[in-house]
Amino acid sequence: GESYAEDSNILENVEDSARAWLSLTDSGKYAESWKNASSLLKSGEGESNWIKKIKAVRSPLGSVGSRHIATAHSAETLPDMPDGEYVLVQFYTSFEHKVLALETVTTVKEQDETWRISEYLIK
């Protein structure tokens, strides 16, 4: 089938969703970031657990200087996740306390056609 990442409209939606969600974590709204994540993330991770985990990785980095999209690719199968429509977006991000980090935001298309975050990693 056609790769989602090549469809500019879909990519724009996905990037918008990812950035809107990331701005919640940037401003320390970790509970909000959990509430606005996909049902997949929420079913795998309770709110208090999520807050503890994200706070531990995100707080020490400080504020965001810049965030540029690096890559985006679509997948229908991912390890440890049910089959579905996914787009993985990677951002090169500079933080106050880390010059360059790679943020990987996995988004999944939910039943209401909205792309929501199913996984978040910072390296």
Side-chain angles (χ1 to χ4, degrees), residues 66-92:
S66 64
R67 179 178 278 130
H68 302 288
I69 193 163
T71 64
H73 66 272
S74 54
E76 284 171 9
T77 56
L78 289 174
D80 305 322
M81 293 199 193
D83 289 357
E85 295 178 38
Y86 297 95
V87 176
L88 286 75
V89 188
Q90 291 189 310
F91 295 96
Y92 287 127

Side-chain angles (χ1 to χ4, degrees), residues 10-27 33 36 58 64-71 87 89-94 103-107 115-117 119-120:
I10 288 174
L11 184 54
E12 212 171 291
N13 284 346
V14 168
E15 189 183 346
D16 286 350
S17 290
R19 284 182 181 275
W21 185 85
L22 285 167
S23 72
L24 294 174
T25 66
D26 292 343
S27 48
S33 77
N36 286 280
R58 187 57 193 81
V64 173
S66 64
R67 179 178 278 130
H68 302 288
I69 193 163
T71 64
V87 176
V89 188
Q90 291 189 310
F91 295 96
Y92 287 127
T93 308
S94 68
E103 293 181 295
T104 305
V105 183
T106 304
T107 62
W115 294 88
R116 292 192 180 87
I117 282 66
E119 193 177 39
Y120 175 58

